[in-house]
Amino acid sequence: MPVPPAEFSAALRRYAAGVGLLTVRDDIDDVGTTVTSVMSVSADPPLVAVGLTADGYPAEVLEAVGSCAVSVLAAGQAILASRFSSAGRPSARHLLEGVPWSRAPHSGAVLLDGGVVGLDCRLDRMVEAGDHVLALLAVEGVPVLREDAAPLLRLGGRYVDAPEGR
């Protein structure tokens, strides 16, 4: 018998995960969403996987555009994670007013200047996974890398700053 979804979710809330912001630039606007399921897949070639809601707009736009950026959020950026996880959110640029950001060189997507890491990515493929899709992303560049910054984590359904000393 499969594990009930509520029990599964409760169990995984005990697993601390880094928090990222996935952004896509299309012809109309910038789209962004908070992700807590970023996984390193391969170093050669450099690949990461990101879990997205299968029927969500970010997955649809990513598949259509074929490129994106992933900003790993730093401690103290919980408000950004909350902004991009709410339903019916406006353009990514509106949610980032007052927050320093730049465009990723390859994808043209928004990258946070104050994040821990910024990955400039090309979509390799989408893999169906239940009510989500895994977007396998080929990393084309790492334009942001702040080794002195502590990451933001999600634990117990809340955003928490990683302890000092990382």
Side-chain angles (χ1 to χ4, degrees):
M1 170 193 271
V3 174
E7 185 179 339
F8 175 76
S9 294
L12 288 189
R13 276 195 293 275
R14 300 307 315 147
Y15 176 70
V19 182
L21 173 62
L22 180 135
T23 57
V24 179
R25 181 182 191 179
D26 71 5
D27 293 334
I28 301 168
D29 207 351
D30 291 286
V31 175
T33 189
T34 302
V35 291
T36 56
S37 52
V38 180
M39 178 180 77
S40 172
V41 175
S42 169
D44 188 16
L47 292 170
V48 295
V50 177
L52 298 169
T53 304
D55 60 357
Y57 187 61
E60 178 184 326
V61 173
L62 174 58
E63 191 161 35
V65 172
S67 62
C68 67
V70 177
S71 297
V72 176
L73 298 182
Q77 292 184 315
I79 200 151
L80 287 175
S82 294
R83 286 180 192 170
F84 282 90
S85 64
S86 62
R89 58 195 166 273
S91 161
R93 286 182 312 235
H94 294 299
L95 294 173
L96 291 171
E97 286 182 22
V99 177
W101 59 271
S102 56
R103 296 266 177 209
H106 297 284
S107 65
V110 169
L111 271 175
L112 299 182
D113 297 340
V116 175
V117 173
L119 305 174
D120 193 3
C121 303
R122 173 184 46 80
L123 178 63
D124 184 75
R125 66 184 168 272
M126 295 280 219
V127 178
E128 291 183 24
D131 60 359
H132 278 61
V133 292
L134 289 178
L136 288 175
L137 306 172
V139 178
E140 306 267 306
V142 183
V144 176
L145 179 58
R146 294 182 49 227
E147 294 181 19
D148 62 327
L152 180 67
L153 302 176
R154 185 148 175 96
L155 177 64
R158 302 174 52 117
Y159 297 115
V160 296
D161 291 345
E164 290 301 314
R166 306 170 280 295

